[in-house]
Amino acid sequence: MSKDAQFYIIPTPIGNLKDITLRAIEVLKSVDIIACEDSRVTQKLLNHFEIKTKTISYHKFNEKERVNLFLELLKEGKTIALVSDAGTPLICDPGAILIEELIKNNIKITSLAGASAITTFLSQVPKGGEEFAFVGFLPKTEGQIFAILQKFAHTNTVFYESPNRLLKTLQYIKKFNPSAKVAVGRELTKMFEEIVVDEVQNVIEYYKKNTLKGEIVAMVYKKENTEFSQTDLLKKINLLKQKKFGSKEISTILATLYDINKNDVYKSLI
């Protein structure tokens, strides 16, 4: 492997082209090849910043077959940058297979900081804590969505959704928990950027009356257990301690019996 072999992961703007970093422009101009999801999308960005670097398509349908090509180019000492259509590559975008092979072949990988729809969204909505679960695009069936909502019932759950599916997804969320609170962000960083935070029924009614366009990031707020106070929790913990149960056992027992977040029980234990 040539000592000059270098692979870059480059975030690109999620809407506003001014959000690209100076370093990203510099690297995209300096590498030998840019691997991109859709060359037509990427070319618009490259043209805007007068970047002449050659592009090669790399998407979920040719991901495996491109791996050997990129490895050969890197062995020749070429430098390659990976971009997605928007945002940070490998976050719900192809690249995992390639990165795994690059690591196996001891190829240096450098990831640049930059745009991400997830952090852009989360930085402008109230969360009531830092913990969240990102689940990518939700599955399409009711049962699969319910399974995810149940799994992360006590964690803020962030997901991507398409505008033509959002209302149906919100209906599933309402069916799972009629009192659920949600946040929806769309057209982030663009002229018509919008963030809506409300009970799920109100958000459904809002989007029945307003046009849905653009990429969407949304969050289902964690379920708060209002019927089980901190005092009740501590009483149960002390009772189980007297019975000689360990911390992990206590966390599991109380989380199972009272539908409490296991982490919340553990924090009270310590």
Side-chain angles (χ1 to χ4, degrees), residues 117-264:
I118 302 166
T119 52
T120 301
F121 170 71
L122 288 176
S123 65
Q124 55 184 315
V125 297
K127 300 184 293 298
E130 296 305 320
E131 185 179 77
F132 70 92
F134 174 63
V135 297
F137 283 94
L138 287 178
K140 295 182 179 180
T141 68
E142 178 181 294
Q144 291 173 317
I145 292 175
F146 280 13
I148 289 175
L149 294 174
Q150 181 62 47
K151 180 179 180 180
F152 299 108
H154 296 287
T155 306
N156 292 331
T157 307
V158 181
F159 60 93
Y160 289 152
E161 191 54 278
S162 66
N164 61 322
R165 278 184 43 82
L166 181 64
L167 277 173
K168 180 177 285 188
T169 297
L170 291 174
Q171 292 284 3
Y172 286 148
I173 293 170
K174 179 189 173 186
K175 187 173 181 181
F176 178 81
N177 178 12
S179 62
K181 180 181 176 182
V182 298
V184 176
R186 66 177 190 88
E187 297 281 71
L188 298 179
T189 78
K190 299 179 182 179
M191 182 180 295
F192 298 106
E193 175 181 278
E194 178 181 62
I195 300 287
V196 178
V197 182
D198 207 334
E199 292 185 4
V200 63
Q201 179 57 42
N202 294 336
V203 178
I204 290 170
E205 294 301 322
Y206 176 80
Y207 280 119
K208 281 182 178 179
K209 301 174 183 176
N210 293 274
T211 303
L212 264 172
K213 291 182 179 179
E215 299 298 322
I216 291 170
V217 189
M219 181 173 77
V220 181
Y221 281 83
K222 65 182 179 181
K223 182 180 179 182
E224 300 289 352
N225 195 316
T226 56
E227 298 178 0
F228 202 81
S229 69
Q230 185 67 17
T231 302
D232 292 331
L233 178 59
L234 292 174
K235 286 181 180 178
K236 301 293 184 185
I237 287 173
N238 289 331
L239 179 61
L240 290 171
K241 279 183 176 180
Q242 292 171 15
K243 300 295 183 181
K244 306 302 182 183
F245 285 99
S247 296
K248 289 185 178 180
E249 292 174 307
I250 293 173
S251 297
T252 301
I253 292 168
L254 294 180
T256 303
L257 291 178
Y258 298 103
D259 193 26
I260 309 169
N261 188 323
K262 187 184 291 186
N263 291 333
D264 291 342

